[in-house]
Amino acid sequence: MATMKDIARIAKVSTSTVSHVINGTRFVSDEIREKVMSVVQELNYRPSALARSFKLQQTKTIGMLVTASNNPFFAEVVAAVEHYCAQNDYNLILCNTDGDCMRLEKSLQTLLQKQVDGLLLMCTETHLQEHATVHLTVPTVIMDWWPTELNADRIFEDSELGGYLATKCLIQHGHRKIGIITGNLQKPLALNRLNGYKKALLEAQIPLNKHWIVESQFDFQGGVVGMDKLLQQNELPTAVFACSDTIALGIYQTAWRYNLRIPQDISVIGYDDINLSQYLAPPLATIHQPKVELGKRAVEMLLERIKSPERKNKTVILQPNLIVRPSVAPPIK
Protein backbone atom coordinates (compact mmCIF):
# COMPACT_ATOMS: atom_id res chain seq x y z
CA MET A 1 0.00 0.00 0.00
CA ALA A 2 1.40 3.39 -1.02
CA THR A 3 2.38 5.91 1.67
CA MET A 4 3.01 9.64 1.74
CA LYS A 5 6.74 8.88 1.77
CA ASP A 6 6.37 6.99 -1.52
CA ILE A 7 4.53 9.93 -3.06
CA ALA A 8 7.16 12.40 -1.80
CA ARG A 9 9.99 10.28 -3.21
CA ILE A 10 8.47 9.96 -6.68
CA ALA A 11 7.27 13.59 -6.83
CA LYS A 12 10.64 14.78 -5.44
CA VAL A 13 9.06 16.91 -2.69
CA SER A 14 9.01 16.70 1.09
CA THR A 15 6.55 14.48 2.98
CA SER A 16 5.11 17.57 4.68
CA THR A 17 4.36 19.09 1.26
CA VAL A 18 2.46 15.94 0.28
CA SER A 19 0.51 16.15 3.54
CA HIS A 20 -0.41 19.80 2.91
CA VAL A 21 -1.58 19.00 -0.62
CA ILE A 22 -3.73 16.04 0.43
CA ASN A 23 -5.19 17.71 3.53
CA GLY A 24 -5.37 21.25 2.17
CA THR A 25 -3.68 22.62 5.28
CA ARG A 26 -1.31 25.10 3.62
CA PHE A 27 -0.88 26.95 0.33
CA VAL A 28 1.07 24.97 -2.27
CA SER A 29 1.73 26.22 -5.79
CA ASP A 30 -0.44 24.86 -8.58
CA GLU A 31 2.60 23.28 -10.25
CA ILE A 32 3.61 21.31 -7.14
CA ARG A 33 -0.04 20.42 -6.36
CA GLU A 34 -0.57 18.99 -9.85
CA LYS A 35 2.68 17.06 -9.61
CA VAL A 36 1.76 15.52 -6.24
CA MET A 37 -1.83 14.70 -7.24
CA SER A 38 -0.58 13.02 -10.43
CA VAL A 39 1.51 10.65 -8.30
CA VAL A 40 -1.40 10.17 -5.87
CA GLN A 41 -3.61 8.98 -8.75
CA GLU A 42 -0.84 6.87 -10.24
CA LEU A 43 -0.27 5.01 -6.96
CA ASN A 44 -4.03 4.91 -6.14
CA TYR A 45 -3.21 6.36 -2.74
CA ARG A 46 -5.93 6.27 -0.04
CA PRO A 47 -5.33 8.16 3.23
CA SER A 48 -5.51 6.07 6.39
CA ALA A 49 -8.64 7.02 8.32
CA LEU A 50 -7.13 5.52 11.49
CA ALA A 51 -3.93 7.52 11.21
CA ARG A 52 -5.89 10.67 10.48
CA SER A 53 -8.10 10.14 13.52
CA PHE A 54 -5.07 9.75 15.79
CA LYS A 55 -3.53 12.92 14.41
CA LEU A 56 -6.70 15.02 14.64
CA GLN A 57 -7.99 13.27 17.79
CA GLN A 58 -11.30 12.77 15.97
CA THR A 59 -12.77 9.68 14.36
CA LYS A 60 -15.53 11.54 12.46
CA THR A 61 -17.87 8.94 13.94
CA ILE A 62 -21.03 9.34 16.02
CA GLY A 63 -22.50 6.54 18.13
CA MET A 64 -26.27 6.17 18.52
CA LEU A 65 -27.90 3.91 21.08
CA VAL A 66 -31.59 3.04 20.77
CA THR A 67 -33.28 0.80 23.36
CA ALA A 68 -36.31 -0.35 21.33
CA SER A 69 -36.63 -1.95 17.91
CA ASN A 70 -40.27 -2.92 17.31
CA ASN A 71 -41.63 0.55 16.49
CA PRO A 72 -41.20 1.98 12.96
CA PHE A 73 -40.94 5.43 14.57
CA PHE A 74 -37.39 4.68 15.70
CA ALA A 75 -36.35 3.43 12.26
CA GLU A 76 -37.56 6.69 10.72
CA VAL A 77 -35.67 8.78 13.31
CA VAL A 78 -32.49 6.74 12.74
CA ALA A 79 -32.82 7.25 8.98
CA ALA A 80 -32.94 11.03 9.53
CA VAL A 81 -29.91 10.87 11.84
CA GLU A 82 -27.96 8.86 9.24
CA HIS A 83 -28.85 11.37 6.53
CA TYR A 84 -27.60 14.38 8.47
CA CYS A 85 -24.49 12.57 9.69
CA ALA A 86 -23.60 11.87 6.07
CA GLN A 87 -24.26 15.49 5.12
CA ASN A 88 -21.69 16.52 7.73
CA ASP A 89 -19.16 13.85 6.65
CA TYR A 90 -19.68 11.77 9.80
CA ASN A 91 -20.20 8.04 10.05
CA LEU A 92 -22.87 6.58 12.33
CA ILE A 93 -22.51 3.46 14.49
CA LEU A 94 -25.96 2.28 15.58
CA CYS A 95 -26.52 0.00 18.59
CA ASN A 96 -30.01 -1.35 19.31
CA THR A 97 -30.36 -2.96 22.73
CA ASP A 98 -33.96 -4.21 22.27
CA GLY A 99 -34.62 -3.46 25.95
CA ASP A 100 -31.86 -5.79 27.15
CA CYS A 101 -29.95 -4.49 30.20
CA MET A 102 -26.72 -6.36 29.47
CA ARG A 103 -26.72 -5.23 25.84
CA LEU A 104 -27.14 -1.63 27.00
CA GLU A 105 -23.98 -1.74 29.13
CA LYS A 106 -22.02 -3.63 26.48
CA SER A 107 -23.15 -1.33 23.67
CA LEU A 108 -22.17 1.82 25.57
CA GLN A 109 -18.76 0.36 26.37
CA THR A 110 -18.28 -0.69 22.74
CA LEU A 111 -19.13 2.77 21.43
CA LEU A 112 -16.70 4.38 23.89
CA GLN A 113 -13.98 1.89 22.93
CA LYS A 114 -14.57 2.79 19.28
CA GLN A 115 -13.63 6.34 20.34
CA VAL A 116 -16.73 7.93 18.85
CA ASP A 117 -16.65 11.72 18.84
CA GLY A 118 -20.11 11.91 20.41
CA LEU A 119 -23.19 9.96 21.45
CA LEU A 120 -26.91 10.16 20.69
CA LEU A 121 -29.02 8.33 23.30
CA MET A 122 -32.66 7.38 22.72
CA CYS A 123 -34.11 5.40 25.64
CA THR A 124 -37.69 4.21 26.13
CA GLU A 125 -37.26 1.51 28.77
CA THR A 126 -37.71 2.54 32.43
CA HIS A 127 -36.41 -0.83 33.73
CA LEU A 128 -32.93 0.05 32.39
CA GLN A 129 -32.42 2.77 35.00
CA GLU A 130 -30.06 0.85 37.29
CA HIS A 131 -28.06 -0.37 34.29
CA ALA A 132 -27.60 3.03 32.62
CA THR A 133 -24.99 4.39 35.02
CA VAL A 134 -21.97 4.16 32.72
CA HIS A 135 -19.86 7.30 33.11
CA LEU A 136 -19.85 9.10 29.77
CA THR A 137 -16.87 11.29 28.92
CA VAL A 138 -17.82 12.24 25.35
CA PRO A 139 -20.23 14.92 24.10
CA THR A 140 -23.76 13.55 24.38
CA VAL A 141 -27.28 14.47 23.26
CA ILE A 142 -30.32 12.79 24.82
CA MET A 143 -33.19 12.34 22.38
CA ASP A 144 -36.34 12.58 24.52
CA TRP A 145 -35.31 10.81 27.75
CA TRP A 146 -32.59 8.97 29.62
CA PRO A 147 -33.14 7.20 32.98
CA THR A 148 -30.20 8.86 34.79
CA GLU A 149 -28.86 12.39 35.06
CA LEU A 150 -26.17 13.16 32.49
CA ASN A 151 -24.12 16.18 31.52
CA ALA A 152 -25.75 16.37 28.11
CA ASP A 153 -27.90 18.37 25.74
CA ARG A 154 -31.49 17.24 25.34
CA ILE A 155 -34.02 17.37 22.55
CA PHE A 156 -37.60 16.19 22.90
CA GLU A 157 -41.13 16.67 21.64
CA ASP A 158 -43.95 18.31 23.63
CA SER A 159 -45.88 15.08 24.12
CA GLU A 160 -48.46 16.60 26.49
CA LEU A 161 -49.41 19.06 23.76
CA GLY A 162 -49.63 16.16 21.32
CA GLY A 163 -52.00 14.27 23.61
CA TYR A 164 -54.11 17.39 24.00
CA LEU A 165 -54.30 17.97 20.22
CA ALA A 166 -55.33 14.36 19.54
CA THR A 167 -58.11 14.40 22.13
CA LYS A 168 -59.30 17.86 21.10
CA CYS A 169 -59.59 16.63 17.50
CA LEU A 170 -61.97 13.87 18.63
CA ILE A 171 -63.96 16.36 20.72
CA GLN A 172 -64.25 18.77 17.77
CA HIS A 173 -65.69 15.92 15.71
CA GLY A 174 -68.48 15.58 18.27
CA HIS A 175 -67.15 12.77 20.47
CA ARG A 176 -67.71 12.87 24.22
CA LYS A 177 -67.10 9.18 24.93
CA ILE A 178 -63.37 8.96 24.32
CA GLY A 179 -61.14 6.09 25.38
CA ILE A 180 -57.34 6.08 25.47
CA ILE A 181 -54.80 3.27 25.18
CA THR A 182 -51.45 4.37 26.58
CA GLY A 183 -47.98 2.93 26.73
CA ASN A 184 -46.37 1.97 30.03
CA LEU A 185 -47.20 4.92 32.30
CA GLN A 186 -43.79 4.71 33.98
CA LYS A 187 -42.46 6.16 30.75
CA PRO A 188 -42.59 9.98 30.86
CA LEU A 189 -43.88 10.41 27.33
CA ALA A 190 -46.77 7.98 27.96
CA LEU A 191 -47.76 9.89 31.09
CA ASN A 192 -47.45 13.22 29.26
CA ARG A 193 -49.79 12.08 26.49
CA LEU A 194 -52.31 10.90 29.09
CA ASN A 195 -52.07 14.28 30.81
CA GLY A 196 -52.78 15.99 27.49
CA TYR A 197 -55.86 13.77 27.08
CA LYS A 198 -57.09 14.71 30.55
CA LYS A 199 -56.46 18.40 29.91
CA ALA A 200 -58.57 18.36 26.73
CA LEU A 201 -61.46 16.56 28.50
CA LEU A 202 -61.34 18.99 31.42
CA GLU A 203 -61.35 21.98 29.07
CA ALA A 204 -64.42 20.59 27.28
CA GLN A 205 -66.09 19.75 30.62
CA ILE A 206 -66.28 16.07 29.72
CA PRO A 207 -66.24 13.76 32.78
CA LEU A 208 -63.23 11.45 33.03
CA ASN A 209 -64.18 7.76 32.81
CA LYS A 210 -61.38 5.74 34.42
CA HIS A 211 -62.65 2.55 32.74
CA TRP A 212 -61.78 4.07 29.37
CA ILE A 213 -58.14 4.62 30.34
CA VAL A 214 -56.24 1.46 29.42
CA GLU A 215 -52.51 1.14 30.13
CA SER A 216 -50.70 -1.07 27.63
CA GLN A 217 -47.43 -1.07 25.63
CA PHE A 218 -46.13 1.02 22.71
CA ASP A 219 -46.30 -1.81 20.18
CA PHE A 220 -48.72 -3.64 17.89
CA GLN A 221 -49.67 -6.24 20.50
CA GLY A 222 -50.21 -3.44 23.00
CA GLY A 223 -52.96 -2.12 20.72
CA VAL A 224 -54.56 -5.56 20.39
CA VAL A 225 -54.55 -6.22 24.15
CA GLY A 226 -55.61 -2.67 25.01
CA MET A 227 -58.54 -2.64 22.59
CA ASP A 228 -59.69 -6.05 23.82
CA LYS A 229 -59.83 -4.61 27.35
CA LEU A 230 -61.65 -1.49 26.21
CA LEU A 231 -64.29 -3.54 24.36
CA GLN A 232 -65.03 -5.57 27.51
CA GLN A 233 -66.49 -2.48 29.22
CA ASN A 234 -70.26 -2.26 29.73
CA GLU A 235 -70.38 1.13 28.02
CA LEU A 236 -68.16 1.59 24.99
CA PRO A 237 -66.50 4.81 23.81
CA THR A 238 -67.25 6.16 20.36
CA ALA A 239 -63.60 7.11 19.76
CA VAL A 240 -60.15 5.95 20.89
CA PHE A 241 -56.90 7.86 21.21
CA ALA A 242 -54.03 5.43 20.58
CA CYS A 243 -50.86 6.87 22.12
CA SER A 244 -48.74 5.53 19.24
CA ASP A 245 -49.44 4.53 15.66
CA THR A 246 -48.27 1.00 16.52
CA ILE A 247 -51.04 0.82 19.15
CA ALA A 248 -53.47 2.12 16.50
CA LEU A 249 -52.50 -0.72 14.14
CA GLY A 250 -53.36 -3.19 16.89
CA ILE A 251 -56.70 -1.41 17.35
CA TYR A 252 -57.43 -1.75 13.63
CA GLN A 253 -56.88 -5.50 13.80
CA THR A 254 -59.03 -5.87 16.92
CA ALA A 255 -61.82 -3.76 15.41
CA TRP A 256 -61.75 -6.05 12.36
CA ARG A 257 -62.07 -9.13 14.61
CA TYR A 258 -65.08 -7.58 16.36
CA ASN A 259 -66.67 -6.53 13.03
CA LEU A 260 -66.36 -2.85 13.98
CA ARG A 261 -65.98 -0.35 11.16
CA ILE A 262 -63.56 2.57 11.40
CA PRO A 263 -64.74 5.33 11.59
CA GLN A 264 -68.44 4.45 11.28
CA ASP A 265 -68.57 2.43 14.52
CA ILE A 266 -65.53 3.85 16.27
CA SER A 267 -63.10 6.64 15.43
CA VAL A 268 -59.37 6.15 15.97
CA ILE A 269 -56.52 8.65 16.18
CA GLY A 270 -52.88 7.67 16.59
CA TYR A 271 -49.60 9.32 17.47
CA ASP A 272 -46.20 9.57 15.66
CA ASP A 273 -47.32 9.75 12.00
CA ILE A 274 -45.17 6.83 10.87
CA ASN A 275 -45.08 6.40 7.09
CA LEU A 276 -47.38 3.38 7.25
CA SER A 277 -50.23 5.37 8.87
CA GLN A 278 -51.28 7.07 5.62
CA TYR A 279 -51.60 3.71 3.84
CA LEU A 280 -54.02 2.06 6.27
CA ALA A 281 -57.67 1.59 5.33
CA PRO A 282 -58.95 4.07 6.26
CA PRO A 283 -55.84 6.30 6.50
CA LEU A 284 -55.04 6.99 10.15
CA ALA A 285 -55.52 10.43 11.70
CA THR A 286 -52.52 11.02 13.92
CA ILE A 287 -50.20 13.43 15.66
CA HIS A 288 -47.15 14.19 13.56
CA GLN A 289 -43.86 13.99 15.39
CA PRO A 290 -41.20 15.97 13.46
CA LYS A 291 -38.92 12.95 13.05
CA VAL A 292 -36.71 14.44 10.34
CA GLU A 293 -36.27 17.65 12.34
CA LEU A 294 -35.58 15.58 15.46
CA GLY A 295 -32.76 13.74 13.69
CA LYS A 296 -31.39 16.91 12.10
CA ARG A 297 -31.41 19.01 15.26
CA ALA A 298 -29.95 16.18 17.34
CA VAL A 299 -26.99 15.84 14.96
CA GLU A 300 -26.52 19.63 14.83
CA MET A 301 -26.56 19.90 18.63
CA LEU A 302 -24.06 17.08 18.98
CA LEU A 303 -21.66 18.58 16.43
CA GLU A 304 -21.90 21.93 18.25
CA ARG A 305 -21.08 20.20 21.51
CA ILE A 306 -18.15 18.33 19.94
CA LYS A 307 -16.70 21.69 18.87
CA SER A 308 -17.48 23.39 22.21
CA PRO A 309 -17.62 20.67 24.90
CA GLU A 310 -17.53 23.17 27.78
CA ARG A 311 -20.59 25.15 26.77
CA LYS A 312 -23.74 25.08 28.91
CA ASN A 313 -26.27 22.31 28.33
CA LYS A 314 -29.02 23.13 25.86
CA THR A 315 -32.62 21.88 25.70
CA VAL A 316 -34.73 22.00 22.53
CA ILE A 317 -38.49 21.29 22.53
CA LEU A 318 -40.11 20.36 19.21
CA GLN A 319 -43.79 20.98 18.50
CA PRO A 320 -46.12 18.20 17.28
CA ASN A 321 -49.04 18.93 14.97
CA LEU A 322 -52.33 17.30 14.04
CA ILE A 323 -52.77 15.29 10.82
CA VAL A 324 -56.48 14.79 10.09
CA ARG A 325 -57.36 11.70 8.05
CA PRO A 326 -60.55 9.61 7.48
CA SER A 327 -60.18 7.37 10.57
CA VAL A 328 -61.95 10.11 12.56
CA ALA A 329 -65.58 11.08 11.86
CA PRO A 330 -68.54 12.33 13.92
CA PRO A 331 -70.28 9.62 15.97
CA ILE A 332 -73.45 8.10 14.55
CA LYS A 333 -76.34 9.20 16.73
Side-chain angles (χ1 to χ4, degrees):
M1 183 180 291
T3 66
M4 283 193 183
K5 287 184 179 180
D6 297 326
I7 297 169
R9 176 175 51 80
I10 296 172
K12 294 183 171 53
V13 297
S14 67
T15 304
S16 62
T17 297
V18 174
S19 176
H20 290 310
V21 169
I22 291 173
N23 296 310
T25 50
R26 198 184 72 184
F27 173 77
V28 178
S29 70
D30 291 342
E31 181 183 353
I32 296 296
R33 182 181 301 279
E34 289 175 9
K35 190 176 183 181
V36 169
M37 291 309 298
S38 175
V39 177
V40 166
Q41 292 175 10
E42 180 184 338
L43 298 181
N44 195 27
Y45 172 76
R46 294 290 182 271
S48 167
L50 182 60
R52 183 178 176 85
S53 68
F54 280 130
K55 183 176 180 180
L56 300 178
Q57 294 187 320
Q58 282 189 342
T59 60
K60 298 292 284 185
T61 302
I62 287 173
M64 184 175 186
L65 188 144
V66 180
T67 63
S69 62
N70 58 354
N71 189 331
F73 167 78
F74 295 104
E76 292 178 27
V77 172
V78 169
V81 168
E82 286 182 316
H83 176 77
Y84 288 103
C85 281
Q87 274 200 352
N88 288 277
D89 296 321
Y90 267 79
N91 296 309
L92 180 70
I93 300 177
L94 176 65
C95 293
N96 194 317
T97 70
D98 203 22
D100 185 281
C101 301
M102 298 303 294
R103 281 174 63 181
L104 171 66
E105 291 184 0
K106 185 176 180 181
S107 295
L108 280 174
Q109 292 290 0
T110 297
L111 290 172
L112 294 176
Q113 289 167 8
K114 294 284 186 183
Q115 296 185 319
V116 294
D117 296 338
L119 282 173
L120 296 172
L121 303 178
M122 201 168 189
C123 182
T124 64
E125 308 302 320
T126 54
H127 72 276
L128 298 177
Q129 184 159 354
E130 62 186 273
H131 299 274
T133 56
V134 177
H135 180 59
L136 300 179
T137 56
V138 298
T140 301
V141 172
I142 297 169
M143 300 174 71
D144 191 60
W145 179 75
W146 188 255
T148 58
E149 288 296 321
L150 290 177
N151 177 30
D153 292 328
R154 186 179 170 201
I155 181 168
F156 64 96
E157 171 248 6
D158 189 342
S159 49
E160 181 172 328
L161 173 61
Y164 170 82
L165 292 174
T167 310
K168 188 174 180 179
C169 172
L170 296 173
I171 293 170
Q172 289 174 335
H173 277 80
H175 294 277
R176 295 185 63 83
K177 298 178 180 180
I178 302 171
I180 181 172
I181 300 176
T182 75
N184 184 332
L185 290 176
Q186 289 187 333
K187 300 179 180 181
L189 65 87
L191 187 59
N192 289 340
R193 291 173 191 177
L194 175 60
N195 288 338
Y197 161 86
K198 291 179 177 178
K199 180 181 178 181
L201 293 184
L202 181 64
E203 184 182 272
Q205 298 182 331
I206 297 175
L208 186 69
N209 186 332
K210 65 180 182 179
H211 300 295
W212 292 342
I213 299 175
V214 177
E215 181 179 1
S216 192
Q217 301 294 331
F218 281 123
D219 55 28
F220 305 112
Q221 188 62 22
V224 172
V225 172
M227 191 61 174
D228 273 331
K229 289 181 180 178
L230 203 53
L231 293 176
Q232 300 308 312
Q233 302 302 317
N234 292 327
E235 185 180 13
L236 301 182
T238 59
V240 181
F241 168 28
C243 286
S244 73
D245 287 352
T246 48
I247 290 175
L249 264 69
I251 290 174
Y252 268 55
Q253 201 230 37
T254 305
W256 170 75
R257 285 194 290 108
Y258 280 82
N259 292 317
L260 294 174
R261 299 165 301 164
I262 299 172
Q264 295 91 334
D265 299 320
I266 192 161
S267 286
V268 180
I269 189 167
Y271 202 113
D272 290 334
D273 193 24
I274 60 175
N275 287 333
L276 181 61
S277 64
Q278 62 189 306
Y279 298 107
L280 297 177
L284 177 66
T286 187
I287 298 299
H288 174 76
Q289 280 212 66
K291 298 176 286 295
V292 172
E293 185 181 1
L294 175 61
K296 179 176 185 289
R297 296 287 294 275
V299 171
E300 290 174 345
M301 289 173 71
L302 186 56
L303 296 183
E304 287 175 14
R305 196 166 181 86
I306 289 170
K307 293 177 183 176
S308 306
E310 302 304 321
R311 71 162 170 76
K312 291 184 178 180
N313 293 341
K314 182 188 296 185
T315 297
V316 172
I317 304 174
L318 302 179
Q319 300 300 304
N321 62 282
L322 174 68
I323 305 294
V324 179
R325 295 192 183 113
S327 66
V328 172
I332 298 175
K333 296 180 181 179

